[in-house]
């Protein structure tokens, strides 16, 4: 306070007369100024005789106008300066008269009110502001008021008035005074202002005794609620509205100091106030102005509802407001923890009580406040209030989405600030993980993923330097637990696109920042000349931080497993994966430079693949991703070449149009490997169309676009080429439209090589591997070589560059010639250095440039080393790779040898010396017991090398020997088959001690050798003996020789012709492999079989035999139909259920390759679809560990077959009726995937674990019948469950491949119904077994074991039928699922026979007909209509059921019936229609069918083909384009096609073999005679309802030109003489010869549909007779059906159910047979012969 001054004549000034004597305003201001100065004199005392006028002066200052008692003359003067100086004078008088002021209560209140108004001006008065005149003087005046309030504590006067309640407005004035003092402080004021304000307010608060009014507390707490920082308008901003800047809140600082200063007095009142507000106390709420609502963020119920379909860009559930309120209690409570946290001691519990409040707003506000309090960086509230913290964590599972979302922010904030509290952070991480994994709202899960990824990405990588983290106000990465990252990783497999894309992107960024960058820090700092020890330390497993590895090392696995989602499922994710791998995982390359050096990227690649080494799934998907890029590059290069050729053609010519169309087709194939274009702009629908984009790109005139694309179409381009393409292509394609520009950029990003794998990084890996090897670390060298191996397996050109291949050759020579220690040699063998290098060389050699110049020294040296590896020192894998490398170097891909004669000559020159050395008797011999262990193993390497030569050099391998000598390859084949497998022509000493034949012994007894060393164990560590491995390699050699020779023999050239292996040799190989499988892996030779006693040996031999037998059945080879009998087929199927898991898995994987048409089953870039017999194998893979892969392959196979069917149908439809008939009778049985069902059911019928009928069957042990009831029920339940699973595994792909509108269910239902009428043939019978036609009619109670097996299979077939029907009906959702298939259905006669006495033809327990009484305890089977309605009710999202017009009834079926001039078929009436519906809807029917499962029989009488071959190699049509991961199938091509018209008619379809050509006429049994034209005649006689014809017509082998398609008829010719039963019996006996299963004999069964034209009364009468035999009951499987007859034909109104009588009653039975159609004599004769066969079959069954 300034010192008080002395006045010259104070008594005269300090008087009322002096003040009232003013003449004008200026004089008044002068007098007031003088008075103020005199009052400031320290000598002035109240009631002093020296100052008699002091009292009158005080009264005059508060005097009022005479006219208005409420208007003060000076305090309310119209001049502001007069008012200011009046207040200053009053402030001095307060000081002089303290503690009792000289005014009454009203006058005091008036003085304070004017004082408050004047003090408020201090906030806008800045002392240093020179822009305002008289600013300094005014500031001093206002500051004087604040100074007086602080030092004199004048405010206590108001406190006394409030406390004594003497003035009514005292409390309001006091509150206004405190508010003005707190707000008058400006950020630019001197610090003294804040100090005086703090002192003035604190004086007022401390003056209170006891309770402090809530109004006073409100004024103190409101600035606190506004926070330490506020936002003010930027005076320099020129924006509209003006921008805001952040500024310190001085009011908050003053209030905080007041609270800290008066904490003892004010803590309890504030706590009571807050508790009252939080608890909703009415009195408290009435006495306070603080808000009980959180104004910083709107609670859920107060936010506006989003419009339907609208998006919330800020948050999934919350609406944010810009205005930040300062008077809400929640903000105040949060800020109090910073100022005086002890005040909240009792408040926390009150707030926590609202966590379970039913009011969502209350619960939300309490949760938010506690979250802010717990997560505050300087707070320890969470530790002090553990129960409240646990209650708060439970809000993570709150039913309200907005609360869970707010919890996400609070939890992540807690982790970032309280990371030192490990126990609490563990609980928080668990709560966050639950939200990410299990929250039901997708937006909330995505929000949680974003928060966690941002939390981890913003963390510091150095966990040890916590001080640095605190200084930066950041958190270490340890704040994010591994559990939390794993929770984010679990969402990578989410079904929501945004969720999985954001999760994998965030994880990849975290991985690079906190793992890759940290691990490669020292390598990056060292640059390109980094010490090799630094690199070895990175790859070393020593001193590894286990916590860091567990937290981050799994992220690459998740990234690559995301490749599982295809472009069809999620194109955005596939594009994002490319971007992550190229630009995030190992940094990116920009114009400014790369984030990592080439050395760092190479080390990072090796480090990453090291972690993926044991992750088979991730490795597979990584290879899939880069294979996708490789395919795209090849497609792009192919398109660019085609386009350039089209441009070279003459404009407007036919050649130009053809070339342009070819280029456009290749562009479409390339587009199939890219993401679809995004629709942008106004015309988004048009621009986003793929066809439009491709057309624009193809027609682009900017040649630079295609030049840039050509630079990235090869994998060896530089990083700068990629940058250029990504930068310039969008600019140059901008004129094509936004959609085209973005699509081209996306395509370029997928095509160009990123920083993960490129030529630079692979070159560096090769050099680093050599350096590591020279440093003695073979393990590190193997890591780098593994990177090169993976890269060259997908991009061979990366290893075929000049520098890379030269380095590889030098490295290979270094490994083979360097003298090294024994430890080094062991490490080389352990990590397979030489093996990996040889594999790389084999792949890279094919991509070397084929220049016509001599090889360099390094290449010559490499060739010598490869020869040495083949013949002397290499392991089996090394020998194989060496052969491959030599073959690739001889015939590089860049310039392949097109002249086959030149190739044959080069092969002989290159490989004949190697073959000669390998086939040398000293090497190619069976090792005996006394042989050196190395020599024992050597035979395996020799056979492996010979096998590789047979595959790569068939001309050299099959070359004949000199003179009459055998060729080297023929000698090897003879050794493999005769010596190794069959044990012929061997000089092996078979003497062996009996003690060595024990199967239980894993190791042979060790015996000392001559040198004194112990004899090495002959058995490998994996348990497979050397002799077993030798036999497996012999099998590989035999199969590889057959395959390569057949494929190569198709190429014809002068001096280069190959003769395919003899049929005898092929048949012997087939039988040998089948014999091994049938014997359980026991070798066929007892000589070598004595070495294969263990289960491992037998399993290895079974695996090898099964896989190679399956490879021989490749449809491209055309061997399966000729050499694989049904017995062999069954034996091969058993391997899928082998006791050894490794055998099952290997067989299932090989089956998936066959179904997909990849690997060994892909010839010249095209895969061939397998036979239906092998598609049926999938039903046995349901329990396999490879079930997913097999099912995916089956879906690919089915998709390709359906594409081939559609294309072939379109082609043959344009070629006429003959082609259509041939397709219907022959081709469709080989192309329709549904025809695998008969084969699959046959397999299941002969599986003993298949569910069978209740009770013991013939041939079962009595012990089975004596099982306990519960054990029997459990066994039957497990068997039925397994059967359902297998059937579902078969039917699901067939139905799901057609999508939601699958229309093949009725076809499958018809098929299984017809199969159920036949008895499965036991193909495992010996060839000496008699057929059913040879069986005597005399009753014989003795049954053989094979007959029992057939009966058991027939009993199982009933259960299979039941469950198959149940599985199919489960797919029925709509009536369109039961769309009728108009064609015929056939079953293979090689597997099924119409044996009437078979249990399969007995009445099934859920079927009934007119003559079979349903058991009383059986419920009627529900119809398909029931399943339709049931499934529609279960699925709420399905459309409404189809109307009456689409229902499957007789009328609708009749409308949909197909009429053909040559084929009349009765349409299929669905067996789901119940009795009532048939009776109501069928017009003219006499009697409804009681059993819904019965089905009519198809009519094949009018030239309908009834036979088909399961081999698809002669009939398949290739789809038009090859899709990603789905190789196209095409039929195998014949070398010569004699029918040129046929080739022209098919167009672009791959040729179908001529023997099944759509134009090929079905051949008759007598080629010289032609079929006479058939005359149609309406029959007036009844036709037997179930005539079954069995035909055994010859079908030529696939190698012949024409196929035999027998003409079938179920009607007898008029010229056929009637014979007696005895004569029929004799003829039947003469014809009943066993029917062998071969390609020249195919027996098929045709099921006929019969129509009845008799009256309904006659039909009813005959059906009701009691003289029906058991045969009538057995054959009652027909639906009543009568399609409408067009063209004046009479409509059949009924159907006779009378069955054909037994043969011995033929002469006496008066059954009328419908008149046959006219025919030639020869045709009638052949039909009569077939009728006799049919009748003999029926006679046998009836007897």
């Amino acid at each position: 306070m300034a010192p008080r001054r002395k006045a010259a004549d104070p008594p005269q000034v300090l008087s009322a007369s002096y003040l009232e004597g003013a003449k004008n305003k200026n004089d008044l201001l002068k007098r007031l100024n003088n008075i103020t100065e005199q009052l400031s004199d320290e000598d002035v005392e109240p009631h002093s005789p020296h100052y008699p006028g002091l009292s009158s002066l005080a009264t005059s200052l508060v005097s009022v106008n005479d006219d208005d008692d409420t208007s003060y003359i000076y305090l309310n003067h119209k001049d502001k300066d007069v008012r200011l100086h009046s207040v200053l004078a009053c402030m001095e008088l307060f000081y002089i008269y303290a503690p009792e002021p000289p005014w009454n209560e009203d006058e005091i209140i008036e003085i304070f009110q004017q004082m408050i108004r004047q003090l408020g001006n201090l906030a806008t008065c800045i002392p240093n502001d020179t822009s305002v005149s008289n600013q300094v003087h005014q500031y001093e005046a206002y500051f004087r008021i604040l100074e007086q309030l602080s030092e004199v504590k004048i405010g206590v006067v108001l406190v006394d008035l409030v406390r004594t309640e003497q003035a009514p407005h005292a409390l309001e004035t006091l509150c206004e005074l405190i508010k003005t003092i707190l707000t008058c402080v400006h950020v630019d004021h001197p610090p003294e202002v804040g100090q005086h304000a703090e002192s003035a307010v604190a004086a007022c608060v401390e003056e209170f005794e006891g309770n402090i009014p809530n109004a006073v507390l409100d004024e103190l707490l409101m600035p606190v609620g506004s926070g330490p920082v506020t936002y003010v308008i930027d005076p320099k901003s020129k924006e509209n509205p003006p921008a805001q800047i952040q500024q310190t809140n001085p009011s908050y600082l003053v209030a905080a100091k007041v609270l800290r200063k008066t904490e003892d007095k004010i803590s309890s009142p504030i706590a009571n106030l807050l508790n009252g507000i939080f608890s909703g106390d009415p009195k408290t709420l009435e006495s306070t102005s603080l808000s009980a609502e959180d104004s910083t963020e709107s609670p859920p119920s107060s936010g506006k509802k989003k419009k339907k379909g609208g998006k919330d860009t800020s948050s999934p559930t919350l609406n944010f407001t810009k205005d930040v309120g300062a008077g809400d209690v929640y903000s105040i409570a949060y800020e109090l923890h910073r100022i005086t946290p002890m005040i909240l001691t009792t408040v926390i519990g009150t707030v926590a009580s609202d966590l379970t409040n039913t009011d969502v707003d209350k619960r939300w506000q309490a949760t938010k406040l506690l979250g802010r309090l717990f997560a505050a960086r300087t707070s320890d509230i969470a530790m002090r209030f553990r129960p409240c913290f646990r209650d708060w964590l439970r809000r993570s599972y709150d039913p309200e989405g907005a609360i869970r979302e707010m919890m996400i922010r609070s939890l992540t904030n807690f982790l970032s600030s309280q990371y030192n509290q490990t126990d609490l952070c563990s609980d928080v991480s668990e709560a966050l993980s639950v939200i990410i994994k299990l929250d039901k709202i997708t937006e909330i899960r995505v929000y949680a993923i974003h928060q966690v990824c941002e939390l981890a990405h913003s963390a510091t990588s150095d966990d040890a330097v916590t001080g640095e983290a605190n200084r930066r106000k950041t958190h270490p990465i340890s704040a994010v637990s591994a559990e939390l990252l794993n929770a984010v990783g679990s969402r990578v497999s989410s079904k929501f696109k945004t969720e999985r894309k954001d999760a994998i992107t965030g994880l990849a960024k975290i991985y690079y920042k906190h793992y890759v960058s940290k691990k490669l820090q020292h390598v990056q700092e060292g640059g390109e000349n980094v010490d090799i020890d630094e690199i070895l330390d990175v790859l070393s497993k020593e001193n590894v931080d286990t916590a860091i590895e567990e937290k981050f090392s799994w992220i690459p696995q998740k990234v690559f497993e995301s490749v599982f989602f295809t472009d069809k499922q999620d194109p955005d994710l596939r594009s994002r994966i490319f971007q992550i791998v190229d630009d995030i995982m190992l940094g990116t390359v920009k114009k400014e430079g790369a984030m990592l050096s080439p050395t760092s990227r190479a080390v990072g690649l090796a480090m990453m693949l090291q972690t993926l080494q044991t992750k088979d799934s991730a490795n597979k998907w990584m290879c899939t991703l880069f294979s996708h890029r490789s395919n795209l590059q090849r497609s792009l290069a192919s398109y660019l070449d085609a386009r350039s050729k089209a441009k070279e053609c003459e404009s407007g010519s036919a050649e130009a149009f053809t070339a342009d169309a070819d280029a456009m087709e290749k562009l479409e194939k390339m587009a199939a490997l890219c993401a679809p274009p995004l629709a942008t702009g106004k015309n988004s629908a048009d621009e986003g169309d793929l066809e439009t984009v491709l057309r624009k790109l193809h027609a682009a005139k900017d040649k630079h676009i295609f030049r840039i694309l050509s630079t990235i179409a090869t994998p060896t381009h530089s990083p700068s080429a990629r940058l250029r393409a990504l930068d310039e292509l969008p600019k140059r394609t901008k004129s094509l439209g936004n959609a085209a520009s973005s699509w081209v950029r996306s395509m370029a990003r997928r095509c160009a090589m990123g920083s993960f794998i490129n030529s630079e990084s692979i070159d560096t890996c090769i050099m680093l591997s050599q350096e590591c090897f020279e440093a003695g670390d073979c393990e590190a060298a193997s890591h780098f070589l593994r990177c090169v191996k993976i890269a060259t397996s997908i991009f061979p050109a990366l290893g075929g560059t000049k520098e890379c291949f030269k380095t590889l050759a030098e490295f290979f020579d270094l490994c083979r010639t360097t003298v090294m220690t024994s430890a080094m040699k062991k490490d080389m063998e352990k990590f397979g250095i030489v093996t990996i290098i040889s594999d790389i060389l084999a792949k890279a050699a094919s991509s070397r440039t084929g220049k016509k110049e001599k090889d360099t020294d390094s290449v010559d040296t490499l060739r010598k080393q490869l020869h040495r590896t083949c013949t002397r020192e290499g392991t089996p894998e090394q020998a194989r790779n060496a052969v491959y490398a030599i073959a690739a170097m001889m015939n590089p891909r860049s310039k392949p040898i097109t002249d086959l004669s030149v190739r044959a000559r080069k092969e002989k020159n290159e490989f004949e010396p190697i073959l000669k050395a390998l086939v040398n008797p000293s090497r190619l011999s069976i090792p005996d017991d006394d042989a050196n262990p190395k020599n024992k193993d050597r035979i395996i390497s020799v056979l492996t090398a010979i096998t590789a030569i047979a595959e790569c050099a068939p001309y050299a391998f099959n070359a004949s020997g000199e003179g009459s000598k055998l060729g080297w390859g023929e000698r090897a084949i003879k050794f493999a088959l005769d010596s190794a497998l069959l044990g012929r022509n061997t000089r092996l000493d078979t003497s062996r001690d009996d003690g060595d034949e024990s199967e239980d012994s894993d190791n042979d007894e060790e015996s000392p050798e001559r040198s004194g060393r112990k004899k090495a164990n002959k058995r490998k560590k994996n348990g497979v003996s050397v002799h077993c491995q030798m036999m497996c390699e012999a099998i590989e050699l035999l199969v590889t020789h057959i395959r390569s020779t057949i494929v190569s023999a198709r190429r014809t050239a002068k001096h280069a012709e190959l003769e395919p292996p003899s049929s005898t040799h092929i048949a012997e190989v087939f039988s040998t492999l089948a014999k091994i499988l049938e014997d359980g892996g026991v070798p066929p030779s007892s000589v070598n079989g004595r070495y294969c006693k263990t289960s491992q040996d037998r399993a290895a031999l079974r695996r090898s035999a099964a896989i190679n037998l399956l490879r021989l059945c490749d449809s491209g080879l055309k061997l399966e139909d000729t050499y694989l009998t049904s017995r062999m087929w069954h034996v091969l199927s058993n391997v899928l259920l082998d006791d050894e898991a490794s055998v099952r898995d290997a067989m299932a994987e090989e089956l998936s390759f066959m179904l997909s048409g990849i690997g060994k089953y892909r010839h010249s870039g095209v895969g061939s679809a397998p036979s239906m017999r092998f598609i049926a194998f999938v039903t046995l893979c349901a329990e396999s560990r490879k079930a997913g892969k097999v099912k995916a392959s089956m879906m690919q196979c089915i998709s390709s077959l359906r594409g081939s069917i559609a294309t072939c149908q379109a082609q043959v439809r344009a070629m006429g009726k003959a082609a259509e008939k041939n397709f219907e009778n022959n081709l469709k049985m080989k192309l329709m995937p549904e025809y695998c069902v008969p084969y699959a059911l046959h397999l299941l019928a002969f599986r003993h674990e298949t569910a069978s009928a209740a009770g013991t069957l013939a041939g079962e042990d009595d012990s089975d019948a004596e099982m306990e009831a519960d054990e029997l029920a459990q066994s039957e339940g497990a068997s039925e469950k397994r059967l359902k699973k297998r059937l579902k595994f078969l039917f699901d792909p067939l139905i799901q491949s057609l999508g939601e509108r699958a229309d093949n269910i009725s076809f499958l239902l018809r098929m299984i119904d017809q199969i159920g009428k036949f008895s499965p043939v036991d193909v495992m019978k010996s060839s000496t077994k008699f057929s059913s036609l040879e069986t005597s009619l005399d009753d014989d109670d003795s049954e053989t074991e094979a007959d029992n097996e057939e009966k058991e299979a027939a009993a199982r077939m009933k259960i299979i039928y039941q469950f198959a029907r149940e599985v199919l009906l489960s797919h029925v959702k709509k009536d369109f699922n039961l769309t009728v298939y108009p064609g015929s259905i056939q079953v293979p006669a090689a597997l099924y026979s119409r044996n009437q006495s078979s249990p399969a033809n007995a009445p099934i327990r859920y079927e009934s007909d007119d003559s079979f009484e349903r058991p009383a305890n059986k419920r009627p089977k529900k119809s398909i209509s029931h399943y339709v309605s049931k499934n529609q009710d279960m699925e709420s999202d399905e459309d409404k059921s189809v109307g009456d017009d689409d229902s499957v009834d007789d009328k609708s079926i009749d409308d949909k019936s197909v009429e053909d001039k040559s084929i009349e078929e009765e349409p299929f009436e669905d067996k789901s229609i119940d009795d009532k519906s048939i009776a109501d809807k069928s017009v003219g029917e006499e009697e409804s069918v009681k059993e819904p499962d019965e089905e009519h029989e198809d009519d094949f009488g009018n030239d309908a083909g009834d036979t088909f071959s399961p081999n698809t190699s002669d009939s398949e049509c290739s789809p038009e384009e090859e899709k990603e991961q789905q190789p196209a199938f095409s039929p195998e091509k014949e070398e010569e096609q004699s029918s040129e018209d046929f080739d022209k008619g098919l167009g672009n379809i791959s040729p179908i073999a001529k023997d099944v050509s759509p134009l090929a006429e079905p051949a008759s049994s007598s080629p010289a005679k032609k079929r006479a034209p058939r005359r149609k005649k309406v029959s007036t006689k009844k036709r037997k309802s179930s005539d079954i014809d069995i035909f055994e017509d010859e079908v030529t082998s696939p190698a012949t030109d024409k196929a035999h398609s027998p003409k079938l008829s179920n009607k007898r010719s008029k010229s056929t003489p009637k014979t007696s039963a005895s004569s029929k019996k004799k003829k039947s006996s003469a014809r009943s010869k066993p029917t062998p299963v071969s390609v020249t004999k195919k027996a098929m069964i045709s099921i006929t549909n019969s129509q009845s034209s008799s009256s309904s009364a006659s039909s009813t009468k005959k059906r009701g007779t009691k003289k029906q035999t058991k045969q009538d009951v057995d054959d009652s499987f027909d639906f009543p059906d009568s399609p409408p007859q067009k063209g004046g034909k009479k409509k059949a109104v009924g159907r006779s159910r009378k069955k054909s009588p037994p043969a011995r009653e033929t002469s006496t039975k008066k059954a009328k047979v419908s008149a046959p159609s006219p025919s030639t004599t020869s045709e009638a004769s052949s039909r009569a012969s077939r009728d006799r066969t049919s009748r003999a079959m029926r006679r046998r069954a009836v007897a």
Side-chain angles (χ1 to χ4, degrees), residues 1520-1552:
E1520 296 179 358
E1521 60 184 35
E1522 177 181 355
K1523 298 182 179 179
E1524 176 196 7
Q1525 297 298 323
Q1526 185 173 325
F1529 293 140
S1530 73
E1532 289 303 319
K1533 302 180 180 179
E1534 294 289 343
E1535 294 302 326
E1536 296 182 1
Q1537 294 287 342
S1538 60
S1539 178
E1540 296 179 358
D1541 296 335
F1542 167 69
D1543 291 339
K1544 294 178 181 179
L1546 283 182
N1548 293 330
I1549 293 185
S1550 298
I1552 301 175

Side-chain angles (χ1 to χ4, degrees), residues 262 309 474 537 555 604 617 704 977 1010 1021 1046 1117 1154 1243 1316 1409 1516 1607 1680:
T262 62
T474 57
D537 289 342
I555 294 179
S617 177
H704 200 63
L977 182 60
R1010 295 179 181 178
K1021 292 182 179 180
I1046 291 177
L1117 303 178
M1154 173 183 271
L1243 293 176
D1409 53 32
E1516 295 173 4
K1607 302 176 179 62

